[in-house]
């Protein structure tokens, strides 16, 4: 694909140096539909990025778009703070009837603000309020957001350094297989809890991702998650699952923790909960934890009614038919698994490993700069993929759940070509 040099002058002169994704994809995108994006010159890109997991149902999904247009055209409430609106009621009823009740999940629903880090901040604040303790345990290579509380439980040194102040009251523990299986699960964590001289204050909660997306596609085993839930129960700590990127069907089931058979005390959800890329997040928690005073935690944009509209439409369209969506996602995941297995076999000397669940996968290279080269070449070939991991050493695949088998195969062929051409 021949790419002409786009006019990026206004972005380069006026927009802050903090911008990042646009540096990896130096073009000006103009429109998008399904799993395709198009730049101003009409070049087509297959999207294996999905808005960092915010577009599980693809760009401008026609069913969700129609629901949104109809709502706006009848002058439906757009901004509502936490006022009761018909759009919010419809979402809450759909979420309860389609998601919570069939899974026997008793959660109360909180709208903490429009982004994932808003949900994490509210979860940490609530855990500390309930338990009367300040310490939170997180895990190596975790990522939970860019505000200060979320950064305190994030592992990435570069992102933590951006805070500019000490990040306190967070203690990291080894994630599943961090020590390559040489140490029994949680032996260090429990020893610290038992030892009055360890220096670890009794934690209020533990926060975990079942699959660490930004950390390098590190997949926690169901057995490990069950053991973690047991540790939390025995030591009077709340279990918070951050399902911001891995929820809403990304790993197969609607919630990524379902496979493990656990019921977290608190769950954070964002990204694809609106279904359309509109800002929206939830903090879910067991009813007995609902100790908030009115207005104790709020946010001006927590009532994004257009997002409620598309969220309800997404649930009603994709999640009412029993396990159909989950089965489709797992089938697409198997398609990726087979393609990455073939790549591993072809480049055994260079490729360290691949891993994933559902429709989130990572391909890690022994040469830690190789992933970036593969992503850049993939862009030149018309495929959008990003990297993850502490050294950006993992190629991250995050296609839409609605991608067709043919589109998925096309993208995997392009990825294979990019790997070959950067060998």
């Amino acid at each position: 694909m021949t790419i002409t040099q786009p006019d990026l002058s206004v972005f380069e002169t006026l927009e802050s140096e903090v911008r990042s994704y646009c540096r990896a994809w130096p073009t000006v995108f103009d429109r998008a539909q399904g799993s395709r994006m198009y730049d101003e010159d009409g070049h087509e890109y297959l999207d294996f990025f999905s808005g960092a997991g915010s577009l599980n149902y693809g760009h401008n999904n026609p069913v969700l778009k129609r629901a949104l247009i109809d709502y706006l055209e009848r002058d439906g409430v757009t901004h509502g703070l936490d006022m009761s609106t018909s759009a919010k009621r419809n979402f809450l009823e759909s979420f309860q009837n389609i998601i919570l009740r069939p899974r026997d999940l008793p959660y109360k629903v909180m709208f903490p603000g429009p982004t994932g880090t808003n949900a994490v901040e509210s979860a940490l604040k609530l855990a500390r309020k309930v338990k009367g303790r300040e310490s939170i345990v997180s895990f190596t290579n975790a990522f939970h957001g860019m505000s200060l509380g979320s950064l305190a439980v994030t592992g990435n040194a570069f992102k933590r350094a951006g805070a500019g102040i000490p990040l306190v009251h967070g203690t990291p523990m080894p994630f599943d297989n961090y020590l390559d299986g040489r140490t029994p699960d949680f032996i260090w964590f429990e020893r610290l809890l038992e030892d009055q001289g360890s220096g670890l204050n009794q934690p209020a909660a533990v926060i975990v991702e079942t699959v660490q997306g930004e950390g390098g596609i590190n997949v926690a085993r169901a057995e490990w998650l069950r053991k973690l839930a047991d540790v939390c129960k025995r030591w009077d700590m709340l279990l918070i699952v951050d399902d911001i990127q891995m929820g809403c069907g990304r790993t197969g089931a609607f919630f990524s923790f379902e496979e493990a058979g656990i019921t977290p005390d608190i769950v954070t959800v964002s990204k694809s909960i609106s279904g359309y890329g509109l800002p929206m997040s939830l903090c879910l928690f067991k009813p007995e934890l609902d100790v908030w005073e009115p207005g104790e935690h709020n946010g001006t944009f927590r009532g994004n009614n257009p997002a409620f509209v598309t969220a309800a439409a997404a649930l009603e369209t994709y999640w009412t038919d029993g396990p159909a969506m989950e089965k489709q996602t797992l089938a697409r995941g198997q398609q990726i698994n087979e393609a990455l297995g073939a790549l591993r076999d072809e480049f055994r000397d260079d490729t360290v490993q691949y891993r994933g669940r559902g429709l989130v996968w990572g391909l890690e290279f022994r040469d830690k700069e190789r992933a970036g080269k593969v992503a850049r070449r993939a862009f030149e070939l018309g495929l959008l993929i990003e990297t993850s991991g502490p050294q950006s050493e993992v190629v991250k695949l995050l296609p839409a759940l609605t991608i067709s088998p043919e589109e998925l195969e096309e993208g995997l062929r392009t990825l294979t070509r990019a790997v070959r051409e950067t060998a």
Side-chain angles (χ1 to χ4, degrees):
M1 179 172 63
T2 302
I3 300 177
T4 57
Q5 185 62 37
D7 181 7
L8 302 175
S9 57
V10 68
F11 308 108
E12 294 170 347
T13 59
L14 188 60
E15 191 178 359
S16 166
E17 293 299 314
V18 77
R19 65 194 189 280
S20 60
Y21 291 117
C22 58
R23 298 179 189 274
W25 302 324
T27 192
V28 180
F29 294 103
D30 180 57
R31 60 188 181 89
Q33 208 287 315
S35 289
R36 308 277 179 177
M37 297 190 74
Y38 304 86
D39 67 17
E40 288 183 320
D41 294 323
H43 296 121
E44 180 180 294
Y45 301 85
L46 187 57
D47 187 2
F48 271 28
F49 175 62
S50 300
S54 296
L55 296 164
N56 280 3
Y57 312 106
H59 295 271
N60 287 303
N61 182 288
V63 177
L64 311 190
K65 180 167 64 175
R66 175 43 53 194
L68 177 60
I69 290 172
D70 289 347
Y71 182 77
L72 295 176
E73 285 187 337
R74 72 169 184 81
D75 291 330
V77 173
T78 297
H79 181 271
L81 293 159
D82 69 354
M83 292 182 285
S84 299
T85 65
S86 57
K88 183 197 284 187
R89 179 174 58 199
N90 188 40
F91 166 73
L92 285 171
E93 290 175 347
S94 296
F95 191 66
Q96 182 179 50
N97 294 330
I98 298 170
I99 302 300
L100 296 182
R101 279 181 178 160
R103 292 161 178 79
D104 197 25
L105 294 172
Y107 297 133
K108 297 289 288 291
V109 179
M110 175 183 178
F111 300 99
T115 72
T117 200
N118 292 138
V120 169
E121 294 285 355
S122 66
L124 301 180
K125 184 189 290 188
L126 179 61
R128 287 169 169 141
K129 180 178 174 66
V130 169
K131 292 300 182 183
R133 305 190 289 264
E134 76 283 351
S135 178
I136 304 289
V137 166
S138 58
F139 290 95
T140 50
N141 288 311
F143 178 78
H144 296 290
M146 299 297 283
S147 50
L148 293 182
S150 300
L151 281 175
V153 290
T154 287
N156 187 284
F158 173 72
K159 292 180 172 65
R160 290 175 61 89
I165 62 170
L167 296 171
V168 296
H169 308 308
T171 302
M173 291 292 165
F175 191 71
D176 191 13
N177 203 40
Y178 184 73
L179 299 173
D180 301 319
R182 293 173 299 190
T183 303
D185 295 334
F186 307 114
I187 189 170
W188 173 243
F189 189 6
E190 294 217 67
R191 180 62 188 272
L192 293 180
L193 290 169
E194 293 165 354
D195 185 0
Q196 295 298 306
S198 70
L200 175 65
N201 294 334
Q202 174 69 14
V206 175
I207 186 168
V208 67
E209 304 154 274
T210 66
V211 181
Q212 295 182 326
E214 300 305 310
I217 317 302
N218 305 312
V219 182
R221 294 166 296 140
E223 176 189 8
W224 186 85
L225 291 169
R226 286 191 290 269
K227 288 182 179 178
L228 175 61
D230 179 63
V231 170
C232 289
K233 183 177 181 179
R234 287 189 287 107
W235 288 96
D236 188 32
M237 302 177 294
L238 298 179
L239 175 60
I240 305 170
V241 167
D242 181 339
D243 233 6
I244 288 165
Q245 188 169 83
M246 297 304 155
C248 301
R250 176 55 56 181
T251 65
F254 187 86
F255 294 110
S256 70
F257 56 80
E258 291 182 51
E259 180 189 38
I262 61 174
T263 303
D265 298 292
I266 303 175
V267 182
T268 60
V269 181
S270 186
K271 288 193 182 286
S272 273
I273 187 61
S274 82
Y276 203 75
L278 298 176
M280 178 179 173
S281 74
L282 310 176
C283 185
L284 313 175
F285 40 81
K286 294 179 177 178
E288 62 269 25
L289 304 181
D290 194 7
V291 297
W292 293 114
E293 296 291 335
E296 189 175 6
H297 187 95
N298 57 31
T300 302
F301 296 101
R302 64 195 183 278
N304 186 355
N305 282 258
F308 297 156
V309 170
T310 55
L315 297 180
E316 292 159 6
T317 302
Y318 293 101
W319 294 98
T320 55
D321 188 16
M325 192 69 188
E326 178 178 354
K327 289 180 179 178
Q328 176 177 298
T329 297
L330 295 177
R332 303 283 192 274
Q334 182 58 31
Q335 191 176 345
I336 296 177
N337 184 28
E338 291 171 2
L340 296 188
L343 264 178
R344 176 200 58 196
D345 294 342
E346 182 176 347
F347 296 94
R348 189 172 296 277
D349 292 339
D350 297 321
T351 303
V352 176
Q353 59 183 331
Y354 70 96
R355 51 193 178 262
R357 280 179 59 195
L359 278 174
V360 53
W361 290 82
L363 183 65
E364 182 177 358
F365 297 92
R366 195 180 310 277
D367 175 3
K368 297 190 183 299
E369 295 183 358
R370 180 85 175 279
K373 295 176 182 177
V374 169
R376 286 190 292 274
R377 182 57 183 147
F379 170 73
E380 294 170 355
L381 296 171
L383 177 67
L384 302 179
I385 52 176
E386 68 166 332
T387 60
S388 69
Q391 299 180 66
S392 297
E393 73 277 16
V394 178
V395 170
K396 181 181 181 182
L397 309 183
L398 212 66
L401 307 187
T402 52
I403 193 169
S404 70
E406 295 76 20
E407 289 172 321
L408 191 55
E409 180 61 29
E410 176 189 340
L412 292 169
R413 285 198 306 268
T414 303
L415 173 62
T416 299
R417 179 180 171 186
V419 171
R420 287 171 178 163
E421 294 182 0
T422 55

